[in-house]
Amino acid sequence: MDFELTEEHKMIKDTIRDFAEKEIAKIADKNDEEERFPKETIKKLAELGFLGMEIPEEYGGAGTDSISYVIAVEELSRVCPAHGVIVSVNNSLVCYGLNKFGTEEQKKKFLTPLARGEKLGAFSLTEPHTGSDASNLLTSAKRERDEYVINGKKVWVTNGTEAEYILVFAVTDKEKKHKGVTCFIADCSLPGLIKSPPEKKLGIRSAHSCEITFENYRIPAENRLGEEGDGFKIAMSILDAGRIGIAAQALGISQAALEHSIRFAKERVAFGVPIIQHQAVVFYIADMQTRIQAARFLTYYAAWKKQKGERFTKEASMAKLFASETAMWATTKAVQIHGSMGYSREHPIQRFFRDAKVTEIYEGTSEIQRLVIARHTLKEYEKILG
Ligand code: CAA
């Protein structure tokens, strides 16, 4: 057992921290206010290899391990959680899925430009009437000779406005329930794929998400990812990886909450002393640090299992559940420590507070994570306890 980061991990951490502090910190609040997608910095991150981190070099990726990816998303989110999720979606909801389930041709054609960051990817499962109940889809895909015709509507498609390729899940056989769901690689340049303007959100406002409507949208059959009926399992498997990314995003948010709180509490004076000297405040700091460390261990452990090639569904859900609830808790306390300054849009801490909430919702709500963890735990204990 080894709790040390390797030299490569440290190098990646320094590089991404430096980039985030020099290039992103100065634009994060303004982008949030203006709900502006950070095209320029995402392009630079692509050039540095952060858009397809775990993808082999032969498919345009950086070939790093999963811990490096967690470090990168955490460091970006420590400064700007919107950058964290844009990068996370491309890496784990799109590139990971294409690398795991794509054919050689699909990897060359779609994965390579996505991993290089020349094109951006998105993942569209959720529909207006269903989010948690993910197999209950209405979007349909009908085979017509060597094409599929897709009709339906998706919502909350992160990166949707900017994406050129989108993994879309549609029903090819209604009777078969989740076994009738199929995954496709939608090419946004083809007619019949209509994007809405960015959705209006509480947080991560510069990471655009949108509705996507498919109206007799035709794509070649070779754009099908996996076999007909494999879609639900593909979605679940991809979300396992995605949830590690969101855990890392939540970790970065919590880390920001801690650092802002310490900085503020050392300067702010009340009752004749800096408020850091008041037990009420310093106990919050102690609890933040403890919860962050626990969240970090859970997240790194899930990533470690993933890179070993083992099933990591339960570990990813545990990491996401704990890290996202830590982010919400830590930012709530951070706003409290900042007092009225925490409530002001002049100070970045309110941005982290707003950004934290979504980590408890997207890529599976906290309730869904509990369901996944409970199902896996009960199965394990069935073996132990009978
Ligand atoms: N990996 C591989 N296969 C899996 C799996 C996984 N992690 N989880 C389930 N499966 C398989 C099961 O083994 C089962 O297979 P069989 O048919 O062979 O038995 C099949 O999938 C069905 O599984 P369940 O019976 O567990 O399915 P369920 O209907 O009970 O649903 C669920 C389970 C956990 C609730 C699931 O629906 C779920 O995760 N819901 C949340 C969806 C979600 O996270 N949505 C977020 C969308 S993305 C987003 O947020 C927007 C964005 O852009 C960031």
Side-chain angles (χ1 to χ4, degrees):
M1 200 161 184
D2 189 354
F3 286 102
E4 282 287 326
L5 294 180
T6 64
E7 285 311 308
E8 194 188 339
H9 293 148
K10 287 181 195 159
M11 197 261 290
I12 287 172
K13 195 176 175 77
D14 289 347
T15 305
I16 193 79
R17 179 168 286 212
D18 191 58
F19 181 86
E21 287 181 347
K22 286 202 180 113
E23 306 266 344
I24 301 176
K26 61 187 179 199
I27 57 168
D29 284 316
K30 194 163 186 285
N31 281 349
D32 173 72
E33 278 289 322
E34 295 173 2
E35 302 189 17
R36 186 182 170 280
F37 186 89
K39 262 197 177 105
E40 303 77 8
T41 38
I42 292 298
K43 187 165 181 283
K44 286 185 189 166
L45 283 166
E47 286 159 8
L48 290 168
F50 286 104
L51 270 287
M53 291 185 70
E54 295 174 75
I55 303 305
E57 287 174 21
E58 59 175 310
Y59 301 121
T64 71
D65 65 8
S66 303
I67 302 282
S68 304
Y69 163 63
V70 163
I71 290 170
V73 175
E74 178 185 343
E75 287 299 328
L76 287 172
S77 305
R78 175 180 161 270
V79 171
C80 176
H83 274 79
V85 75
I86 295 165
V87 166
S88 173
V89 165
N90 199 72
N91 272 281
S92 51
L93 289 189
V94 187
C95 289
Y96 173 80
L98 287 170
N99 192 44
K100 185 164 179 187
F101 299 104
T103 61
E104 190 55 31
E105 291 71 42
Q106 289 172 336
K107 287 186 194 181
K108 281 193 184 125
K109 186 169 175 192
F110 303 112
L111 175 59
T112 304
L114 286 164
R116 285 197 190 122
E118 293 161 359
K119 292 183 192 288
L120 199 65
F123 174 93
S124 68
L125 178 64
T126 304
E127 298 188 355
H129 72 289
T130 193
S132 295
D133 185 6
S135 64
N136 182 24
L137 303 178
L138 292 179
T139 298
S140 65
K142 202 162 158 261
R143 178 103 192 210
E144 282 186 11
R145 290 178 295 277
D146 54 354
E147 285 183 327
Y148 283 91
V149 185
I150 301 182
N151 279 288
K153 187 183 251 190
K154 298 288 180 180
V155 290
W156 298 113
V157 183
T158 307
N159 288 353
T161 50
E162 315 293 325
E164 291 181 63
Y165 296 133
I166 302 179
L167 296 189
V168 53
F169 297 85
V171 176
T172 41
D173 188 339
K174 215 168 128 200
E175 301 303 310
K176 291 188 179 160
K177 306 264 170 65
H178 73 265
K179 290 194 165 100
V181 175
T182 303
C183 180
F184 299 93
I185 309 159
D187 179 340
C188 298
S189 67
L190 298 176
L193 187 156
I194 303 138
K195 297 177 177 184
S196 76
E199 284 152 336
K200 294 282 177 194
K201 301 191 301 250
L202 172 73
I204 54 160
R205 289 160 38 133
S206 63
H208 290 170
S209 60
C210 70
E211 289 182 9
I212 310 260
T213 307
F214 296 91
E215 278 180 12
N216 292 324
Y217 172 75
R218 288 177 174 274
I219 44 166
E222 67 238 30
N223 282 37
R224 190 187 66 218
L225 188 64
E227 297 300 321
E228 269 194 21
D230 283 354
F232 187 72
K233 285 189 187 180
I234 291 177
M236 290 300 111
S237 169
I238 291 176
L239 280 166
D240 287 347
R243 287 166 186 170
I244 296 180
I246 301 307
Q249 184 198 24
L251 206 47
I253 294 173
S254 303
Q255 187 63 35
L258 175 67
E259 291 178 27
H260 277 292
S261 296
I262 294 175
R263 211 175 292 125
F264 182 84
K266 282 169 92 171
E267 279 172 13
R268 176 75 177 192
V269 174
F271 305 102
V273 291
I275 62 170
I276 197 88
Q277 291 181 30
H278 293 299
Q279 205 174 55
V281 171
V282 88
F283 276 12
Y284 284 155
I285 301 292
D287 285 348
M288 274 188 207
Q289 176 64 77
T290 306
R291 292 183 193 208
I292 291 169
Q293 188 70 302
R296 188 169 286 119
F297 285 153
L298 282 171
T299 308
Y300 282 31
Y301 180 64
W304 176 79
K305 275 206 97 170
K306 176 170 169 247
Q307 77 194 22
K308 278 190 16 162
E310 292 178 14
R311 179 95 187 245
F312 58 94
T313 302
K314 184 185 75 173
E315 289 72 18
S317 283
M318 287 167 65
K320 194 216 176 236
L321 172 66
F322 193 80
S324 61
E325 293 192 346
T326 296
M328 200 63 244
W329 183 88
T331 53
T332 303
K333 294 303 175 207
V335 167
Q336 192 68 17
I337 290 169
H338 284 74
S340 55
M341 185 53 80
Y343 202 66
S344 163
R345 296 227 308 269
E346 298 292 308
H347 195 289
I349 196 61
Q350 50 75 34
R351 173 165 56 83
F352 289 98
F353 171 75
R354 287 184 290 103
D355 288 355
K357 185 62 207 172
V358 75
T359 66
E360 293 183 319
I361 297 173
Y362 61 14
E363 301 200 27
T365 60
S366 291
E367 291 72 19
I368 289 297
Q369 307 311 327
R370 287 190 166 87
L371 187 79
V372 172
I373 297 161
R375 283 183 182 176
H376 281 261
T377 304
L378 292 179
K379 211 177 268 175
E380 285 162 22
Y381 275 82
E382 224 169 70
K383 284 185 206 142
I384 301 167
L385 303 174

